[in-house]
Amino acid sequence: MNFAFDDETEDMREAVERFARRELGGAPPRDGVPDREEFRRRWQLAGKQGLVGSVVPERYGGSGLDAVAAAAVMEAFGYGCPDTGFAFSVAAHLFAALVPVVEFGTEEQKRRWLPALCSGERIAAHAITEPEAGSDTLGLRTRAVRDGDHYVLEGVKAFTTNAPVADVFVVQAATAPGGGFFGLTAFVVEAGTPGLTVGPPYEKVGLRGSPTADVRLDGCVVPATAVLGAEGAGAGVFAGSMKWERTCLFAAYLGAMRRVLESTVAYAGRREQFGVPIGDFQAVSHRVVDMTLAVESARLVLYKAAWQLARGREDQVAPALAKLAVSEAAVRVGLDAVQLHGALGVLGGEAETLLRDALPARIFSGTNEIQRNNVARALGLGGSRRGAGRR
């Protein structure tokens, strides 16, 4: 067992932390909707740094990182960038949209889409969630009907990360309604395709630096060459991307938690009550220790999942546990940081920002309840419940 990164990965971590602090500093937008031009400017900077294409093979413009190195880079990104929403958008682009193209795309699709998506010139979004189908991904109502050498897409997608700024969409639709695992198909659809429209950006409680909106498909015609993988392979495409997302995306939260933990320790050391620093009180110091334990425990679980993913191990439990451990730890650390900052904790600052950004983490990438279902089923429990753990 070796808990240290190799020299190359450590150098990348340090470079990303410096870059994020220097170029991506500043709090997330307070009104919940990031400025489009500023978002693009920061995105292009992240592209030049290699962040938006880190796991894509070098021949397509990426850096070719494995899952461990990618998680290390995302952790450094989350630590250096105070806008966790922006880091979340980068991770969603990379792990939910680019990874499916890398793993399932044809050579023509890879050469057409990946270079610009890796450079920061273009942005990708993964459209799967619907108003009536969140965790029940096999119950999608969006339809794709074959018409000669084209497909016609009809439906509405909700909560689509990056939708307001996306140039490319990976869209999941049912080609065989009621067909179960083999009833879904993934498509690569360019923004501006007639019939594809994006709604206004959401104003969210957390992850405000990540632009999110609905996507409507109204007679959207795409060529058969837009199919990702093969017809009926959509569920497999989605499952593959979720292994990466539930592992590497959540590494950004590790960095954010470490940043807030450090600032909370510093605050406890200088804030005085009754003539002594509040860190001298056992109730405070023990809470800080518990925060540290939560962060370190979650970190170990996540990097174990990344280690297995880097070695090609087909394990659905490790990513589910990583997602559970990190998201639950982020909420707890956020709550504790707010408590230790007292009245200042409910004003604008790192503590309350982490808490707001952590709340969605228990929902996206499959709710934590679904992750528990998945793990329970892997342990031989709950398998008799119809539809349990579909996502």
Side-chain angles (χ1 to χ4, degrees):
M1 298 177 68
N2 183 358
F3 294 100
F5 296 116
D6 59 44
D7 291 342
E8 183 178 0
T9 302
E10 194 59 50
D11 288 344
M12 282 192 297
R13 279 169 45 86
E14 294 175 0
V16 169
E17 283 187 13
R18 290 195 301 270
F19 160 77
R21 284 196 299 267
R22 182 180 67 250
E23 303 290 349
L24 305 177
R30 301 303 301 175
D31 62 0
V33 179
D35 179 78
R36 186 185 182 95
E37 291 186 5
E38 175 63 10
F39 185 90
R40 281 277 181 180
R41 185 191 71 81
R42 300 170 85 197
W43 192 277
Q44 289 169 359
L45 290 174
K48 291 178 181 178
Q49 190 69 22
L51 292 170
V52 301
S54 62
V55 300
V56 175
E58 294 181 9
R59 63 182 179 276
Y60 303 117
S63 302
L65 302 186
D66 69 7
V68 172
V73 166
M74 287 307 304
E75 181 182 359
F77 193 10
Y79 178 83
C81 179
D83 185 355
T84 303
F86 182 74
F88 173 77
S89 271
V90 169
H93 154 97
L94 180 57
F95 303 118
L98 269 64
V99 164
V101 177
V102 171
E103 294 189 341
F104 293 91
T106 64
E107 186 64 22
E108 180 181 356
Q109 288 172 330
K110 293 174 185 178
R111 294 191 180 279
R112 178 182 179 186
W113 301 114
L114 292 176
L117 290 169
C118 290
S119 70
E121 178 184 348
R122 309 188 93 187
I123 301 172
H126 187 180
I128 182 166
T129 302
E130 298 180 0
E132 302 299 328
S135 297
D136 185 10
T137 55
L138 299 185
L140 297 184
R141 295 186 179 183
T142 298
R143 299 290 183 255
V145 179
R146 183 75 181 251
D147 182 12
D149 59 354
H150 292 76
Y151 286 84
V152 181
L153 278 60
E154 299 274 356
V156 177
K157 299 296 182 179
F159 309 110
T160 304
T161 301
N162 294 340
V165 294
D167 303 291
V168 182
F169 294 84
V170 174
V171 179
Q172 294 276 0
T175 43
F181 189 85
F182 298 103
L184 304 183
T185 300
F187 299 85
V188 182
V189 184
E190 189 167 12
T193 300
L196 187 153
T197 57
V198 177
Y202 298 156
E203 293 191 11
K204 307 188 298 298
V205 170
L207 297 176
R208 290 175 171 174
S210 177
T212 310
D214 294 340
V215 177
R216 180 174 294 276
L217 301 156
D218 186 9
C220 181
V221 179
V222 298
T225 54
V227 172
L228 195 56
E231 184 173 314
V237 172
F238 177 67
S241 69
M242 284 300 99
K243 288 189 298 183
W244 282 87
E245 184 171 298
R246 289 168 185 161
T247 301
C248 297
L249 181 152
F250 283 86
Y253 279 98
L254 292 178
M257 283 191 284
R258 180 160 59 93
R259 171 168 38 82
V260 172
L261 177 58
E262 289 176 1
S263 66
T264 301
V265 171
Y267 177 79
R270 66 175 182 269
R271 167 67 168 165
E272 291 191 0
Q273 289 287 278
F274 307 104
V276 297
I278 62 172
D280 287 0
F281 299 121
Q282 189 177 75
V284 172
S285 63
H286 281 193
R287 190 182 291 264
V288 171
V289 171
D290 288 343
M291 292 167 68
T292 304
L293 177 61
V295 174
E296 291 300 319
S297 300
R299 193 170 189 270
L300 290 173
V301 174
L302 183 138
Y303 277 101
K304 180 183 177 183
W307 180 83
Q308 293 189 180
L309 182 57
R311 282 153 181 76
R313 299 191 178 183
E314 293 296 326
D315 181 3
Q316 299 294 331
V317 172
L321 290 176
K323 196 266 185 187
L324 277 170
V326 176
S327 61
E328 297 289 355
V331 172
R332 176 175 180 178
V333 170
L335 283 169
D336 286 343
V338 168
Q339 185 71 27
L340 292 178
H341 281 80
L344 292 176
V346 297
L347 302 180
E350 284 190 326
E352 61 89 24
T353 299
L354 173 62
L355 179 57
R356 286 190 288 101
D357 289 341
L359 294 175
R362 299 197 296 185
I363 299 171
F364 65 74
S365 299
T367 66
N368 282 11
E369 290 76 16
I370 290 296
Q371 302 314 310
R372 288 183 170 90
N373 285 349
N374 291 343
V375 175
R377 186 172 58 183
L379 296 174
L381 304 172
S384 61
R385 295 185 61 186
R386 182 178 179 272
R390 282 179 172 173
R391 183 172 178 183

